[in-house]
Amino acid sequence: MRISPKEYGLPARTVLERLGNDTIAIVVNRKSRIIMADGRKILDKARKITHIQPSARVVLKTTAP
């Protein structure tokens, strides 16, 4: 189920899915690999989510190799 990123103060282009009661997935659809700069941005987004909802478990869901 999709979640609005605005609830967590994230950019509108961020795709979030609720996978369970306390599990939120950051969805990254791309054909190329995830590089370190992407990883830093993903970690910043995860920190914002856990700052708003401390009990949340944040996971990454991607199609990248």
Side-chain angles (χ1 to χ4, degrees):
M1 180 166 80
R2 301 249 174 180
I3 304 171
S4 172
K6 296 291 182 181
E7 295 177 25
Y8 299 100
L10 297 173
R13 297 183 92 188
T14 304
V15 180
L16 299 176
E17 287 184 2
R18 183 168 305 280
L19 299 179
N21 291 339
D22 289 335
T23 305
I24 298 172
I26 299 173
V27 181
V28 179
N29 290 321
R30 64 171 55 180
K31 294 179 182 176
S32 61
R33 288 180 266 168
I34 294 176
I35 59 174
M36 190 177 296
D38 298 326
R40 288 186 181 122
K41 291 176 188 175
I42 292 167
L43 282 175
D44 288 340
K45 291 176 184 180
R47 286 185 186 114
K48 285 184 179 181
I49 292 170
T50 55
H51 181 71
I52 300 293
Q53 186 179 349
S55 64
R57 182 174 152 230
V58 181
V59 298
L60 177 65
K61 188 175 176 182
T62 183
T63 57

